[in-house]
Amino acid sequence: MTAPLIEPSDRRRRRTHNAVLDAAADLFAGRGFRETSVDELASAADVALSSIYANFPGGKADVYAALACRIARQHADEMAAAIAAAREPVELAVFDAYLRFHADAPAAFRILGLSDLGRDDSELVTQARRIVRDLLGGVLDSTVAASTLDARSARGEALRLWGTVNGLIALRTQGFATASEVEDLLAPVRAELAARIAESREGARS
């Protein structure tokens, strides 16, 4: 039962599907998943309550799972575009694109982790987790493939980057760090990444 996780091909259903996810993105970010009712989703999306259940049989939990998949697809598309357009070391382009995405969508990190859902909330949780993992795993593979570093070094740099950035984003999301503090902490991380890449390239040439 993966249909709610995929944008419908029918134009009318697709319009409803996207209207509900647009409304959910705002409400879940502003009020939280648990505090948002299905009635509020329907009102914000300007659709009938029955339309939500027709598109998302599990209610708002299915909406959350579908929103996580949509965010993951958007994230993967933006990262792929950054890799394709990179004129500097691809790792730095990925770093900048990753930060840009999460700066523009502060709630994305929590939703991508399906942090508010458990297995009992929706039958789609397991499928949604797999879709998100596969999409973001594809970004990691693309980053490694595009790097001028050897595969092991490129993967290590990418994982180090994601681990550092994810940790700081989590601290910001939980209210332990401000956006400006995170920005200040990430500036030297980027500089150190650039220095390590330059050093690795020099070593490979010598």
Side-chain angles (χ1 to χ4, degrees):
M1 189 178 107
T2 59
L5 303 180
I6 302 168
E7 187 178 74
S9 56
D10 177 79
R11 184 168 58 183
R12 184 176 177 183
R13 290 182 68 87
R14 183 168 62 247
R15 185 168 59 244
T16 299
H17 179 96
N18 287 325
V20 172
L21 294 189
D22 289 344
D26 290 337
L27 289 171
F28 293 164
R31 300 195 55 199
F33 169 70
R34 298 292 173 189
E35 289 71 28
T36 298
S37 69
V38 183
D39 286 332
E40 288 171 323
L41 274 176
S43 177
D46 195 23
V47 301
L49 188 62
S50 58
S51 293
I52 290 189
Y53 286 105
N55 285 271
F56 305 95
K60 69 173 183 175
D62 280 8
V63 173
Y64 191 106
L67 179 60
C69 292
R70 185 173 79 167
I71 291 172
R73 292 186 187 100
Q74 292 170 340
H75 200 354
D77 287 346
E78 290 190 19
M79 298 290 275
I83 291 170
R87 294 187 178 173
E88 54 186 340
V90 69
E91 292 82 0
L92 295 180
V94 168
F95 182 97
D96 293 338
Y98 196 93
L99 289 184
R100 234 182 355 259
F101 183 86
H102 286 286
D104 291 343
F109 183 71
R110 182 175 183 84
I111 295 172
L112 283 171
L114 289 110
S115 304
D116 297 294
L117 293 186
R119 288 177 182 271
D120 295 336
D121 289 312
S122 170
E123 295 178 6
L124 298 179
V125 171
T126 299
Q127 294 98 312
R129 287 192 194 284
R130 186 178 64 249
I131 289 170
V132 170
R133 184 177 62 248
D134 288 349
L135 285 165
L136 298 186
V139 171
L140 177 61
D141 291 343
S142 297
T143 301
V144 172
S147 176
T148 57
L149 303 176
D150 65 88
R152 182 177 178 182
S153 297
R155 181 175 173 83
E157 289 297 346
L159 291 174
R160 188 202 308 260
L161 159 69
W162 283 21
T164 302
V165 174
N166 287 352
L168 288 171
I169 290 173
L171 289 174
R172 185 188 69 184
T173 301
Q174 295 166 10
F176 292 111
T178 65
S180 61
E181 285 175 323
V182 170
E183 186 176 337
D184 290 343
L185 289 167
L186 286 173
V189 171
R190 189 186 192 281
E192 290 164 10
L193 174 64
R196 284 197 304 274
I197 292 169
E199 184 179 345
S200 295
R201 289 179 171 179
E202 285 298 319
R205 282 196 290 264
S206 60

